[in-house]
Amino acid sequence: MKAIAFTEQGEVDVLQYQEVPTPTLGTDEVLVKVKSCAVNYLDIHARRNRPEIKKKLEETGKPHILGSDIAGEIANISGTHPHLTIGQRILLAPCIPCGVCSDCINGYENLCDTQQLLGFQTDGGYAEFVKAPVKNAIPIADTLSYSKASTLPIAYLTAWHMLITRAQLYAGEDILILGAGGSVGSAGLQIAKLLGARIFATASTNEKLTRAKEHGADITINYADVDFSEAILEETNGRGVDVVLEHVGAATWEKSIRSLAKNGRLVSCGVTTGNIGEINIRKMYQKQLTLMGSALGTTAELRTLVRLAEQGKLVPIIDRTLPLAQASEAHELLESRKNFGKICLIP
């Protein structure tokens, strides 16, 4: 089969469109003919320098295939699974938890210490075919396109878990969404709109801010021109917002906290600009702020997202689709932040 794979980490030129063996199924696995695989910033980190990928390359001596956001049709199944059929349209849940630890048993598989991620610890969807555990296969309706389905497992699941499960955002609240043009930001924008919140969105260009308005932002802020925390306080008459969706890290951390109202909640899922952020502890307890982390989400949450997308209540934002062979271009677009919404690769 054809795939985008690499044998060493580095810049985009390490990604090679090449012939690799089609996956061989183990016990209770599905072979999926990939119809769409969305690109994530995690793919870029994996390609550049993530130690887990380096270890896999060294231990196996085989090329690594990226891609965690996968939609396609079942080409083969091992074992007896009456709920699945050859040719069935499916989406793959990205996490492969151990299934036996206390977190998995209690329904928090995204907290499993030994979980694997498709396209990270395993080969992924930058290929014509990919294999996964049967339990990861989620049927999708004909009304949901493969491209839209493939946007859901990482960015939309992450944003849903952040806003619904962790921050518990509700109608009428004010939320600040950083980097509204990115994958998690644009997903959060749609979810917050669905909930009925008032949305403040930041981006670095006026073009992205216009797009953010089109997708539900009420007030937009160009963070390249102004201090967004000052703009938030001005727009809210000094009150601040109830929730901040933070996925940037060190560069925005203090401003994000400053933007919070009393009893405000900051929920963070990423640190693309650095891991370390400072906080004024006195102000934190005086304003009774809540700071929380969030990582991906559960399969049950992903199934909810699938239903909402099938019903048209959530319409995934896709910047563009590209042929699989142009994966390098997709990475360059993502690295330069030229996209608004997801970029999908089509084998």
Side-chain angles (χ1 to χ4, degrees), residues 115-151:
Q115 66 179 297
Q116 295 184 319
L117 187 69
L118 289 173
F120 203 67
Q121 285 89 356
T122 75
D123 282 337
Y126 284 25
E128 292 179 309
F129 294 92
V130 64
K131 73 173 183 176
V134 164
K135 63 184 178 181
N136 286 59
I138 300 175
I140 57 174
D142 293 342
T143 55
L144 182 61
S145 73
Y146 288 117
S147 293
K148 288 181 179 178
S150 72
T151 69

PDB file of all heavy atoms in Angstrom, residues 115-151:
ATOM      1  N   GLN A 115      -2.048   3.958  27.948  1.00  0.00           N
ATOM      2  CA  GLN A 115      -2.779   4.068  26.696  1.00  0.00           C
ATOM      3  C   GLN A 115      -1.837   4.370  25.532  1.00  0.00           C
ATOM      4  O   GLN A 115      -0.776   4.986  25.708  1.00  0.00           O
ATOM      5  CB  GLN A 115      -3.835   5.174  26.791  1.00  0.00           C
ATOM      6  CG  GLN A 115      -3.246   6.572  26.952  1.00  0.00           C
ATOM      7  CD  GLN A 115      -4.309   7.650  27.028  1.00  0.00           C
ATOM      8  OE1 GLN A 115      -5.044   7.845  26.085  1.00  0.00           O
ATOM      9  NE2 GLN A 115      -4.376   8.326  28.169  1.00  0.00           N
ATOM     10  N   GLN A 116      -2.227   3.929  24.364  1.00  0.00           N
ATOM     11  CA  GLN A 116      -1.514   4.248  23.136  1.00  0.00           C
ATOM     12  C   GLN A 116      -2.415   5.104  22.257  1.00  0.00           C
ATOM     13  O   GLN A 116      -3.639   5.111  22.423  1.00  0.00           O
ATOM     14  CB  GLN A 116      -1.114   2.974  22.393  1.00  0.00           C
ATOM     15  CG  GLN A 116      -0.114   2.123  23.142  1.00  0.00           C
ATOM     16  CD  GLN A 116       0.329   0.915  22.343  1.00  0.00           C
ATOM     17  OE1 GLN A 116      -0.470   0.260  21.682  1.00  0.00           O
ATOM     18  NE2 GLN A 116       1.619   0.619  22.377  1.00  0.00           N
ATOM     19  N   LEU A 117      -1.805   5.826  21.336  1.00  0.00           N
ATOM     20  CA  LEU A 117      -2.560   6.672  20.425  1.00  0.00           C
ATOM     21  C   LEU A 117      -2.275   6.238  18.993  1.00  0.00           C
ATOM     22  O   LEU A 117      -1.112   6.071  18.602  1.00  0.00           O
ATOM     23  CB  LEU A 117      -2.155   8.141  20.606  1.00  0.00           C
ATOM     24  CG  LEU A 117      -2.961   9.187  19.837  1.00  0.00           C
ATOM     25  CD1 LEU A 117      -4.380   9.285  20.402  1.00  0.00           C
ATOM     26  CD2 LEU A 117      -2.272  10.555  19.916  1.00  0.00           C
ATOM     27  N   LEU A 118      -3.334   6.024  18.226  1.00  0.00           N
ATOM     28  CA  LEU A 118      -3.154   5.678  16.819  1.00  0.00           C
ATOM     29  C   LEU A 118      -2.284   6.728  16.135  1.00  0.00           C
ATOM     30  O   LEU A 118      -2.486   7.926  16.310  1.00  0.00           O
ATOM     31  CB  LEU A 118      -4.511   5.603  16.112  1.00  0.00           C
ATOM     32  CG  LEU A 118      -5.424   4.429  16.472  1.00  0.00           C
ATOM     33  CD1 LEU A 118      -6.787   4.609  15.806  1.00  0.00           C
ATOM     34  CD2 LEU A 118      -4.796   3.110  16.046  1.00  0.00           C
ATOM     35  N   GLY A 119      -1.319   6.287  15.363  1.00  0.00           N
ATOM     36  CA  GLY A 119      -0.448   7.210  14.657  1.00  0.00           C
ATOM     37  C   GLY A 119       0.681   7.759  15.507  1.00  0.00           C
ATOM     38  O   GLY A 119       1.490   8.556  15.037  1.00  0.00           O
ATOM     39  N   PHE A 120       0.732   7.317  16.760  1.00  0.00           N
ATOM     40  CA  PHE A 120       1.793   7.801  17.657  1.00  0.00           C
ATOM     41  C   PHE A 120       2.599   6.598  18.150  1.00  0.00           C
ATOM     42  O   PHE A 120       3.676   6.333  17.660  1.00  0.00           O
ATOM     43  CB  PHE A 120       1.170   8.584  18.807  1.00  0.00           C
ATOM     44  CG  PHE A 120       2.102   9.563  19.455  1.00  0.00           C
ATOM     45  CD1 PHE A 120       2.545  10.678  18.759  1.00  0.00           C
ATOM     46  CD2 PHE A 120       2.539   9.379  20.755  1.00  0.00           C
ATOM     47  CE1 PHE A 120       3.413  11.595  19.351  1.00  0.00           C
ATOM     48  CE2 PHE A 120       3.398  10.285  21.356  1.00  0.00           C
ATOM     49  CZ  PHE A 120       3.836  11.387  20.661  1.00  0.00           C
ATOM     50  N   GLN A 121       2.045   5.849  19.090  1.00  0.00           N
ATOM     51  CA  GLN A 121       2.714   4.598  19.478  1.00  0.00           C
ATOM     52  C   GLN A 121       2.494   3.495  18.437  1.00  0.00           C
ATOM     53  O   GLN A 121       3.229   2.514  18.409  1.00  0.00           O
ATOM     54  CB  GLN A 121       2.214   4.121  20.845  1.00  0.00           C
ATOM     55  CG  GLN A 121       2.746   4.909  22.025  1.00  0.00           C
ATOM     56  CD  GLN A 121       1.876   6.103  22.363  1.00  0.00           C
ATOM     57  OE1 GLN A 121       0.913   6.403  21.674  1.00  0.00           O
ATOM     58  NE2 GLN A 121       2.229   6.799  23.441  1.00  0.00           N
ATOM     59  N   THR A 122       1.448   3.661  17.615  1.00  0.00           N
ATOM     60  CA  THR A 122       1.189   2.703  16.537  1.00  0.00           C
ATOM     61  C   THR A 122       1.257   3.423  15.199  1.00  0.00           C
ATOM     62  O   THR A 122       1.289   4.652  15.152  1.00  0.00           O
ATOM     63  CB  THR A 122      -0.212   2.073  16.683  1.00  0.00           C
ATOM     64  OG1 THR A 122      -1.193   3.049  16.282  1.00  0.00           O
ATOM     65  CG2 THR A 122      -0.477   1.641  18.113  1.00  0.00           C
ATOM     66  N   ASP A 123       1.234   2.673  14.108  1.00  0.00           N
ATOM     67  CA  ASP A 123       1.124   3.300  12.798  1.00  0.00           C
ATOM     68  C   ASP A 123      -0.301   3.832  12.631  1.00  0.00           C
ATOM     69  O   ASP A 123      -1.264   3.261  13.144  1.00  0.00           O
ATOM     70  CB  ASP A 123       1.448   2.306  11.688  1.00  0.00           C
ATOM     71  CG  ASP A 123       2.950   2.084  11.542  1.00  0.00           C
ATOM     72  OD1 ASP A 123       3.717   2.974  11.948  1.00  0.00           O
ATOM     73  OD2 ASP A 123       3.342   1.023  11.032  1.00  0.00           O
ATOM     74  N   GLY A 124      -0.408   4.947  11.872  1.00  0.00           N
ATOM     75  CA  GLY A 124      -1.691   5.621  11.770  1.00  0.00           C
ATOM     76  C   GLY A 124      -2.245   5.715  10.366  1.00  0.00           C
ATOM     77  O   GLY A 124      -1.994   4.861   9.515  1.00  0.00           O
ATOM     78  N   GLY A 125      -2.987   6.809  10.141  1.00  0.00           N
ATOM     79  CA  GLY A 125      -3.831   6.920   8.965  1.00  0.00           C
ATOM     80  C   GLY A 125      -3.279   7.678   7.780  1.00  0.00           C
ATOM     81  O   GLY A 125      -4.011   7.922   6.815  1.00  0.00           O
ATOM     82  N   TYR A 126      -1.988   8.054   7.787  1.00  0.00           N
ATOM     83  CA  TYR A 126      -1.389   8.642   6.592  1.00  0.00           C
ATOM     84  C   TYR A 126      -1.079   7.502   5.618  1.00  0.00           C
ATOM     85  O   TYR A 126       0.056   7.311   5.183  1.00  0.00           O
ATOM     86  CB  TYR A 126      -0.078   9.348   6.926  1.00  0.00           C
ATOM     87  CG  TYR A 126      -0.155  10.692   7.605  1.00  0.00           C
ATOM     88  CD1 TYR A 126      -1.248  11.074   8.373  1.00  0.00           C
ATOM     89  CD2 TYR A 126       0.908  11.597   7.506  1.00  0.00           C
ATOM     90  CE1 TYR A 126      -1.286  12.306   9.019  1.00  0.00           C
ATOM     91  CE2 TYR A 126       0.878  12.829   8.135  1.00  0.00           C
ATOM     92  CZ  TYR A 126      -0.218  13.178   8.892  1.00  0.00           C
ATOM     93  OH  TYR A 126      -0.241  14.403   9.524  1.00  0.00           O
ATOM     94  N   ALA A 127      -2.077   6.740   5.267  1.00  0.00           N
ATOM     95  CA  ALA A 127      -1.864   5.529   4.470  1.00  0.00           C
ATOM     96  C   ALA A 127      -3.169   5.105   3.824  1.00  0.00           C
ATOM     97  O   ALA A 127      -4.243   5.600   4.163  1.00  0.00           O
ATOM     98  CB  ALA A 127      -1.335   4.408   5.364  1.00  0.00           C
ATOM     99  N   GLU A 128      -3.061   4.166   2.903  1.00  0.00           N
ATOM    100  CA  GLU A 128      -4.265   3.636   2.263  1.00  0.00           C
ATOM    101  C   GLU A 128      -5.047   2.731   3.197  1.00  0.00           C
ATOM    102  O   GLU A 128      -6.276   2.639   3.108  1.00  0.00           O
ATOM    103  CB  GLU A 128      -3.877   2.884   0.986  1.00  0.00           C
ATOM    104  CG  GLU A 128      -3.348   3.805  -0.108  1.00  0.00           C
ATOM    105  CD  GLU A 128      -2.953   3.047  -1.355  1.00  0.00           C
ATOM    106  OE1 GLU A 128      -2.189   2.058  -1.251  1.00  0.00           O
ATOM    107  OE2 GLU A 128      -3.426   3.427  -2.446  1.00  0.00           O
ATOM    108  N   PHE A 129      -4.331   2.052   4.113  1.00  0.00           N
ATOM    109  CA  PHE A 129      -4.979   1.160   5.073  1.00  0.00           C
ATOM    110  C   PHE A 129      -4.356   1.345   6.456  1.00  0.00           C
ATOM    111  O   PHE A 129      -3.179   1.680   6.581  1.00  0.00           O
ATOM    112  CB  PHE A 129      -4.839  -0.306   4.656  1.00  0.00           C
ATOM    113  CG  PHE A 129      -5.574  -0.669   3.394  1.00  0.00           C
ATOM    114  CD1 PHE A 129      -4.929  -0.600   2.166  1.00  0.00           C
ATOM    115  CD2 PHE A 129      -6.904  -1.076   3.433  1.00  0.00           C
ATOM    116  CE1 PHE A 129      -5.592  -0.924   0.996  1.00  0.00           C
ATOM    117  CE2 PHE A 129      -7.577  -1.397   2.270  1.00  0.00           C
ATOM    118  CZ  PHE A 129      -6.929  -1.325   1.046  1.00  0.00           C
ATOM    119  N   VAL A 130      -5.171   1.126   7.487  1.00  0.00           N
ATOM    120  CA  VAL A 130      -4.683   1.166   8.857  1.00  0.00           C
ATOM    121  C   VAL A 130      -5.433   0.103   9.652  1.00  0.00           C
ATOM    122  O   VAL A 130      -6.579  -0.224   9.340  1.00  0.00           O
ATOM    123  CB  VAL A 130      -4.905   2.566   9.484  1.00  0.00           C
ATOM    124  CG1 VAL A 130      -6.389   2.889   9.602  1.00  0.00           C
ATOM    125  CG2 VAL A 130      -4.229   2.678  10.850  1.00  0.00           C
ATOM    126  N   LYS A 131      -4.780  -0.445  10.670  1.00  0.00           N
ATOM    127  CA  LYS A 131      -5.482  -1.399  11.526  1.00  0.00           C
ATOM    128  C   LYS A 131      -5.668  -0.795  12.910  1.00  0.00           C
ATOM    129  O   LYS A 131      -4.899   0.068  13.349  1.00  0.00           O
ATOM    130  CB  LYS A 131      -4.734  -2.726  11.615  1.00  0.00           C
ATOM    131  CG  LYS A 131      -3.464  -2.710  12.455  1.00  0.00           C
ATOM    132  CD  LYS A 131      -2.914  -4.127  12.605  1.00  0.00           C
ATOM    133  CE  LYS A 131      -1.672  -4.151  13.504  1.00  0.00           C
ATOM    134  NZ  LYS A 131      -1.180  -5.525  13.746  1.00  0.00           N
ATOM    135  N   ALA A 132      -6.731  -1.288  13.605  1.00  0.00           N
ATOM    136  CA  ALA A 132      -7.051  -0.803  14.943  1.00  0.00           C
ATOM    137  C   ALA A 132      -7.869  -1.853  15.669  1.00  0.00           C
ATOM    138  O   ALA A 132      -8.464  -2.733  15.031  1.00  0.00           O
ATOM    139  CB  ALA A 132      -7.829   0.511  14.862  1.00  0.00           C
ATOM    140  N   PRO A 133      -7.930  -1.782  17.003  1.00  0.00           N
ATOM    141  CA  PRO A 133      -8.798  -2.710  17.733  1.00  0.00           C
ATOM    142  C   PRO A 133     -10.253  -2.539  17.312  1.00  0.00           C
ATOM    143  O   PRO A 133     -10.700  -1.428  17.015  1.00  0.00           O
ATOM    144  CB  PRO A 133      -8.606  -2.293  19.192  1.00  0.00           C
ATOM    145  CG  PRO A 133      -7.258  -1.632  19.229  1.00  0.00           C
ATOM    146  CD  PRO A 133      -7.137  -0.929  17.920  1.00  0.00           C
ATOM    147  N   VAL A 134     -10.994  -3.641  17.299  1.00  0.00           N
ATOM    148  CA  VAL A 134     -12.408  -3.605  16.934  1.00  0.00           C
ATOM    149  C   VAL A 134     -13.166  -2.594  17.788  1.00  0.00           C
ATOM    150  O   VAL A 134     -14.049  -1.884  17.300  1.00  0.00           O
ATOM    151  CB  VAL A 134     -13.025  -5.019  17.076  1.00  0.00           C
ATOM    152  CG1 VAL A 134     -14.544  -4.958  17.080  1.00  0.00           C
ATOM    153  CG2 VAL A 134     -12.539  -5.918  15.952  1.00  0.00           C
ATOM    154  N   LYS A 135     -12.834  -2.520  19.075  1.00  0.00           N
ATOM    155  CA  LYS A 135     -13.560  -1.632  19.995  1.00  0.00           C
ATOM    156  C   LYS A 135     -13.392  -0.157  19.634  1.00  0.00           C
ATOM    157  O   LYS A 135     -14.153   0.689  20.119  1.00  0.00           O
ATOM    158  CB  LYS A 135     -13.119  -1.869  21.431  1.00  0.00           C
ATOM    159  CG  LYS A 135     -11.658  -1.563  21.699  1.00  0.00           C
ATOM    160  CD  LYS A 135     -11.259  -1.917  23.129  1.00  0.00           C
ATOM    161  CE  LYS A 135      -9.770  -1.640  23.376  1.00  0.00           C
ATOM    162  NZ  LYS A 135      -9.369  -2.017  24.760  1.00  0.00           N
ATOM    163  N   ASN A 136     -12.421   0.162  18.791  1.00  0.00           N
ATOM    164  CA  ASN A 136     -12.209   1.558  18.399  1.00  0.00           C
ATOM    165  C   ASN A 136     -13.068   1.979  17.217  1.00  0.00           C
ATOM    166  O   ASN A 136     -13.105   3.165  16.865  1.00  0.00           O
ATOM    167  CB  ASN A 136     -10.736   1.798  18.055  1.00  0.00           C
ATOM    168  CG  ASN A 136      -9.848   1.839  19.281  1.00  0.00           C
ATOM    169  OD1 ASN A 136      -9.789   0.871  20.035  1.00  0.00           O
ATOM    170  ND2 ASN A 136      -9.166   2.946  19.498  1.00  0.00           N
ATOM    171  N   ALA A 137     -13.751   1.039  16.588  1.00  0.00           N
ATOM    172  CA  ALA A 137     -14.549   1.345  15.402  1.00  0.00           C
ATOM    173  C   ALA A 137     -15.925   1.880  15.788  1.00  0.00           C
ATOM    174  O   ALA A 137     -16.684   1.213  16.487  1.00  0.00           O
ATOM    175  CB  ALA A 137     -14.701   0.088  14.545  1.00  0.00           C
ATOM    176  N   ILE A 138     -16.222   3.091  15.333  1.00  0.00           N
ATOM    177  CA  ILE A 138     -17.509   3.739  15.610  1.00  0.00           C
ATOM    178  C   ILE A 138     -18.240   3.932  14.281  1.00  0.00           C
ATOM    179  O   ILE A 138     -17.776   4.687  13.415  1.00  0.00           O
ATOM    180  CB  ILE A 138     -17.306   5.106  16.285  1.00  0.00           C
ATOM    181  CG1 ILE A 138     -16.559   4.948  17.609  1.00  0.00           C
ATOM    182  CG2 ILE A 138     -18.647   5.810  16.495  1.00  0.00           C
ATOM    183  CD1 ILE A 138     -16.204   6.269  18.275  1.00  0.00           C
ATOM    184  N   PRO A 139     -19.367   3.269  14.071  1.00  0.00           N
ATOM    185  CA  PRO A 139     -20.116   3.435  12.822  1.00  0.00           C
ATOM    186  C   PRO A 139     -20.570   4.884  12.628  1.00  0.00           C
ATOM    187  O   PRO A 139     -20.912   5.568  13.589  1.00  0.00           O
ATOM    188  CB  PRO A 139     -21.318   2.502  13.016  1.00  0.00           C
ATOM    189  CG  PRO A 139     -20.865   1.494  14.014  1.00  0.00           C
ATOM    190  CD  PRO A 139     -19.968   2.245  14.951  1.00  0.00           C
ATOM    191  N   ILE A 140     -20.563   5.334  11.377  1.00  0.00           N
ATOM    192  CA  ILE A 140     -21.040   6.682  11.055  1.00  0.00           C
ATOM    193  C   ILE A 140     -22.082   6.595   9.942  1.00  0.00           C
ATOM    194  O   ILE A 140     -22.025   5.717   9.087  1.00  0.00           O
ATOM    195  CB  ILE A 140     -19.887   7.624  10.635  1.00  0.00           C
ATOM    196  CG1 ILE A 140     -19.108   7.062   9.432  1.00  0.00           C
ATOM    197  CG2 ILE A 140     -18.944   7.879  11.801  1.00  0.00           C
ATOM    198  CD1 ILE A 140     -18.052   7.999   8.884  1.00  0.00           C
ATOM    199  N   ALA A 141     -23.015   7.532   9.969  1.00  0.00           N
ATOM    200  CA  ALA A 141     -24.107   7.547   8.989  1.00  0.00           C
ATOM    201  C   ALA A 141     -23.621   8.050   7.635  1.00  0.00           C
ATOM    202  O   ALA A 141     -22.595   8.747   7.534  1.00  0.00           O
ATOM    203  CB  ALA A 141     -25.241   8.429   9.497  1.00  0.00           C
ATOM    204  N   ASP A 142     -24.383   7.721   6.592  1.00  0.00           N
ATOM    205  CA  ASP A 142     -24.056   8.177   5.238  1.00  0.00           C
ATOM    206  C   ASP A 142     -24.103   9.699   5.123  1.00  0.00           C
ATOM    207  O   ASP A 142     -23.485  10.275   4.233  1.00  0.00           O
ATOM    208  CB  ASP A 142     -25.026   7.568   4.224  1.00  0.00           C
ATOM    209  CG  ASP A 142     -24.855   6.056   4.092  1.00  0.00           C
ATOM    210  OD1 ASP A 142     -23.803   5.544   4.507  1.00  0.00           O
ATOM    211  OD2 ASP A 142     -25.781   5.398   3.579  1.00  0.00           O
ATOM    212  N   THR A 143     -24.852  10.337   6.013  1.00  0.00           N
ATOM    213  CA  THR A 143     -24.998  11.796   5.967  1.00  0.00           C
ATOM    214  C   THR A 143     -23.746  12.538   6.422  1.00  0.00           C
ATOM    215  O   THR A 143     -23.613  13.735   6.177  1.00  0.00           O
ATOM    216  CB  THR A 143     -26.179  12.240   6.854  1.00  0.00           C
ATOM    217  OG1 THR A 143     -25.976  11.717   8.183  1.00  0.00           O
ATOM    218  CG2 THR A 143     -27.495  11.725   6.309  1.00  0.00           C
ATOM    219  N   LEU A 144     -22.838  11.835   7.081  1.00  0.00           N
ATOM    220  CA  LEU A 144     -21.607  12.457   7.579  1.00  0.00           C
ATOM    221  C   LEU A 144     -20.457  12.097   6.650  1.00  0.00           C
ATOM    222  O   LEU A 144     -20.102  10.935   6.505  1.00  0.00           O
ATOM    223  CB  LEU A 144     -21.316  11.985   9.004  1.00  0.00           C
ATOM    224  CG  LEU A 144     -20.094  12.575   9.693  1.00  0.00           C
ATOM    225  CD1 LEU A 144     -20.208  14.084   9.839  1.00  0.00           C
ATOM    226  CD2 LEU A 144     -19.892  11.928  11.077  1.00  0.00           C
ATOM    227  N   SER A 145     -19.866  13.093   6.014  1.00  0.00           N
ATOM    228  CA  SER A 145     -18.773  12.833   5.080  1.00  0.00           C
ATOM    229  C   SER A 145     -17.551  12.298   5.825  1.00  0.00           C
ATOM    230  O   SER A 145     -17.358  12.557   7.020  1.00  0.00           O
ATOM    231  CB  SER A 145     -18.392  14.106   4.321  1.00  0.00           C
ATOM    232  OG  SER A 145     -17.700  15.008   5.172  1.00  0.00           O
ATOM    233  N   TYR A 146     -16.721  11.569   5.104  1.00  0.00           N
ATOM    234  CA  TYR A 146     -15.503  11.040   5.716  1.00  0.00           C
ATOM    235  C   TYR A 146     -14.601  12.168   6.218  1.00  0.00           C
ATOM    236  O   TYR A 146     -14.013  12.069   7.299  1.00  0.00           O
ATOM    237  CB  TYR A 146     -14.738  10.173   4.713  1.00  0.00           C
ATOM    238  CG  TYR A 146     -15.376   8.842   4.427  1.00  0.00           C
ATOM    239  CD1 TYR A 146     -15.833   8.530   3.141  1.00  0.00           C
ATOM    240  CD2 TYR A 146     -15.521   7.884   5.421  1.00  0.00           C
ATOM    241  CE1 TYR A 146     -16.410   7.286   2.862  1.00  0.00           C
ATOM    242  CE2 TYR A 146     -16.104   6.645   5.157  1.00  0.00           C
ATOM    243  CZ  TYR A 146     -16.555   6.360   3.876  1.00  0.00           C
ATOM    244  OH  TYR A 146     -17.127   5.147   3.622  1.00  0.00           O
ATOM    245  N   SER A 147     -14.498  13.240   5.448  1.00  0.00           N
ATOM    246  CA  SER A 147     -13.624  14.339   5.852  1.00  0.00           C
ATOM    247  C   SER A 147     -14.106  14.971   7.152  1.00  0.00           C
ATOM    248  O   SER A 147     -13.314  15.215   8.075  1.00  0.00           O
ATOM    249  CB  SER A 147     -13.557  15.402   4.742  1.00  0.00           C
ATOM    250  OG  SER A 147     -12.908  14.891   3.606  1.00  0.00           O
ATOM    251  N   LYS A 148     -15.410  15.248   7.237  1.00  0.00           N
ATOM    252  CA  LYS A 148     -15.940  15.850   8.461  1.00  0.00           C
ATOM    253  C   LYS A 148     -15.806  14.902   9.642  1.00  0.00           C
ATOM    254  O   LYS A 148     -15.486  15.320  10.760  1.00  0.00           O
ATOM    255  CB  LYS A 148     -17.391  16.270   8.247  1.00  0.00           C
ATOM    256  CG  LYS A 148     -17.525  17.491   7.343  1.00  0.00           C
ATOM    257  CD  LYS A 148     -18.979  17.905   7.158  1.00  0.00           C
ATOM    258  CE  LYS A 148     -19.064  19.141   6.260  1.00  0.00           C
ATOM    259  NZ  LYS A 148     -20.471  19.537   6.012  1.00  0.00           N
ATOM    260  N   ALA A 149     -16.047  13.626   9.403  1.00  0.00           N
ATOM    261  CA  ALA A 149     -15.896  12.647  10.480  1.00  0.00           C
ATOM    262  C   ALA A 149     -14.464  12.616  10.996  1.00  0.00           C
ATOM    263  O   ALA A 149     -14.229  12.529  12.213  1.00  0.00           O
ATOM    264  CB  ALA A 149     -16.315  11.262   9.985  1.00  0.00           C
ATOM    265  N   SER A 150     -13.498  12.722  10.096  1.00  0.00           N
ATOM    266  CA  SER A 150     -12.093  12.600  10.497  1.00  0.00           C
ATOM    267  C   SER A 150     -11.598  13.792  11.310  1.00  0.00           C
ATOM    268  O   SER A 150     -10.528  13.727  11.912  1.00  0.00           O
ATOM    269  CB  SER A 150     -11.196  12.401   9.267  1.00  0.00           C
ATOM    270  OG  SER A 150     -11.085  13.598   8.512  1.00  0.00           O
ATOM    271  N   THR A 151     -12.364  14.875  11.357  1.00  0.00           N
ATOM    272  CA  THR A 151     -11.940  16.027  12.174  1.00  0.00           C
ATOM    273  C   THR A 151     -12.264  15.826  13.651  1.00  0.00           C
ATOM    274  O   THR A 151     -11.750  16.552  14.498  1.00  0.00           O
ATOM    275  CB  THR A 151     -12.640  17.320  11.724  1.00  0.00           C
ATOM    276  OG1 THR A 151     -14.039  17.245  12.048  1.00  0.00           O
ATOM    277  CG2 THR A 151     -12.472  17.562  10.230  1.00  0.00           C
TER     278      THR A 151
END
